[in-house]
Amino acid sequence: MSMSHDATSHDARANTFPCVCGARMRIIESRPCVVSGERGMRRRRRCMSCGNRITTYEVEETRAFDVRALHVALRAIRGQLDILIGDVERQEKNDALR
Ligand SMILES: [Zn+2]
């Protein structure tokens, strides 16, 4: 159970979800599903080495995380822009006074 939850945290990581034998598992089926009220993906995987099959349920947390990270980054950029604009305006005033 905790293994399939780990697989939900990152799509890139989920796509290379390893088998218990250590080999990579191939996704044999992906379909949208709802996991505890959130949109997710149900994926059936088969090990390319030992043939073990598992089903994982992945919640699309990555998008929500990306939006938050983007928001934080944009706010930081806006702060930097305000400083730069202030510098440019001060420079322009100084030039005008010369
Ligand atoms: Zn295996």
Side-chain angles (χ1 to χ4, degrees), residues 19-23 25 47-52:
C19 176
V20 284
C21 78
M25 301 195 87
C47 178
M48 290 183 276
S49 173
C50 73
N52 180 32

Side-chain angles (χ1 to χ4, degrees), residues 21-84:
C21 78
R24 281 175 57 175
M25 301 195 87
R26 188 204 300 259
I27 296 167
I28 53 176
E29 192 191 320
S30 293
R31 59 170 63 170
C33 67
V34 174
V35 183
S36 47
E38 294 191 57
R39 283 197 320 162
M41 289 293 279
R42 173 185 178 277
R43 293 194 215 275
R44 294 185 66 204
R45 296 158 192 275
R46 188 173 62 207
C47 178
M48 290 183 276
S49 173
C50 73
N52 180 32
R53 288 176 187 222
I54 59 163
T55 302
T56 56
Y57 293 88
E58 300 160 23
V59 179
E60 289 180 35
E61 307 178 280
T62 48
R63 186 153 49 145
F65 171 78
D66 283 347
V67 169
R68 275 201 300 273
L70 183 64
H71 194 196
V72 169
L74 286 175
R75 273 209 307 253
I77 289 166
R78 189 171 65 187
Q80 293 294 314
L81 283 176
D82 283 345
I83 292 167
L84 283 171

